[in-house]
Amino acid sequence: MSDLPPALDLGPNGSPKPEKPAAQLPGWLRRTEAEQRWPAALAIAVAIFIHLVLPPDLAPHPRWMLPGLESALLISIVAVNPLRINRRTRIARPLSIGLAALLTVVTAWSVGLLVRALFAQTHGEVPPAHLLLWGAAIWLTNVIVFALWFWEGDRGGPGARADGESPHPDFLFTQMQVPELAHHDWEPGFFDYFYLAFTNATAFSPTDTLPMSAWAKMLMVAESVISLVTVLLVVARAVNVIGG
C-alpha cells in the first residue's frame, strides 16, 4: 500500500486551502434543522386517496387491502415522527421506504390495469372524460411516488441531509451550482423533489436538476417510461373515442 498522504485541495499559490467554518458552508452541506413532515405526508395522503377512489377496473384487488395498508404505514410514520424528520427515530426510515415501495406497486398495478382496459375496450365504449380523468389521476400518483423516491434517496434521505452527512448529491440542484443566488440556509425539501418528478414526467428528461448517481438516473428513466406510456395511451384513446 502507498504511504503517500491524501491529495490536498490547493489554492492558486500552491498552498492548501483552509477549510471553511461550518457557518460559512451553504445550508445543504452543513447540519441544519430537520425537515418538516407535513409536505411529504400530504402528498402521500393524496396518492392514497386516489388509490381509494379509483374505479374497480383500475384498482388492485382486494379493493381496500393495499390502500388500507398504505394508510396504516402513513399513520405509523406520522405517529413515530410527527413534526420534524430527524435521525433519533430510525424506525421511521424503513417504514418510509416500505410505504414508498407499496405506493409504487399499487401505482404500477393501476397503470397495467389502465393499459389493459384501454386495449380491451371496443370503439366508443369508454367515455373520453373517464379516460382523461383517471389517466390523469394515475399519472399524478406516479409523480408523487417518484418524488418520494427522490426525496428518500438523495444523500441518504431527509434525516441524513439535515445532518449534512454526505457532500456528494445524487441530484444536483441549481442552487448547489450557483450558491450565491440562493439563500445561505437553502437545502432541498420535498417540494423541490416533487418539482423534479413533475418536470421529469412532463418533459421526459432533466430540466434544471441533474441526476448524478446511477440509481437516480435509473429512477428518472423508470418514471419517464411510466409517464410516457400513460400519457400516450390515454390521450390516443381519448382522441380516438372523440373522433369516432
Side-chain angles (χ1 to χ4, degrees):
M1 296 180 60
S2 174
D3 294 328
L4 294 175
L8 296 176
D9 188 12
L10 302 179
N13 60 355
S15 60
K17 290 183 179 179
E19 293 187 5
K20 289 184 177 181
Q24 296 182 14
L25 294 173
W28 68 275
L29 278 175
R30 55 184 164 81
R31 187 180 182 89
T32 56
E33 187 177 16
E35 188 175 342
Q36 291 185 338
R37 168 68 66 186
W38 73 264
L42 177 61
I44 294 170
V46 170
I48 294 174
F49 176 77
I50 292 174
H51 289 164
L52 284 171
V53 300
L54 283 173
D57 57 333
L58 299 181
H61 292 275
R63 184 70 178 84
W64 303 100
M65 184 181 72
L66 293 179
L69 184 56
E70 293 169 347
S71 301
L73 284 173
L74 176 59
I75 292 172
S76 300
I77 292 169
V78 173
V80 168
N81 207 347
L83 299 179
R84 296 278 181 176
I85 303 168
N86 53 57
R87 303 286 286 181
R88 290 174 295 176
T89 53
R90 294 180 182 273
I91 191 174
R93 179 159 172 78
L95 289 175
S96 298
I97 295 294
L99 177 55
L102 184 58
L103 287 166
T104 303
V105 170
V106 177
T107 300
W109 197 336
S110 296
V111 170
L113 292 174
L114 176 65
V115 172
R116 188 182 69 174
L118 289 171
F119 281 104
Q121 293 289 345
T122 59
H123 180 74
E125 287 188 3
V126 181
H130 178 93
L131 289 175
L132 294 175
L133 175 63
W134 296 116
I138 293 174
W139 180 88
L140 177 59
T141 60
N142 182 54
V143 172
I144 293 173
V145 163
F146 280 93
L148 286 171
W149 281 119
F150 299 157
W151 179 69
E152 286 287 356
D154 187 23
R155 296 171 59 221
R161 289 194 298 273
D163 285 345
E165 292 182 357
S166 175
H168 304 293
D170 296 286
F171 293 100
L172 185 64
F173 290 88
T174 304
Q175 293 91 331
M176 297 176 178
Q177 303 176 67
V178 194
E180 60 270 17
L181 298 182
H183 191 278
H184 182 63
D185 293 329
W186 180 91
E187 58 182 333
F190 179 77
F191 288 122
D192 296 286
Y193 297 99
F194 181 85
Y195 173 78
L196 169 62
F198 184 90
T199 55
N200 187 55
T202 52
F204 309 118
S205 65
T207 53
D208 62 341
T209 303
L210 298 177
M212 303 298 289
S213 61
W215 73 261
K217 295 175 182 178
M218 293 307 299
L219 278 181
M220 292 188 74
V221 168
E223 184 194 12
S224 295
V225 169
I226 295 174
S227 178
L228 185 63
V229 169
T230 305
V231 170
L232 288 183
L233 288 180
V234 169
V235 171
R237 183 62 175 166
V239 170
N240 184 43
V241 173
I242 294 173

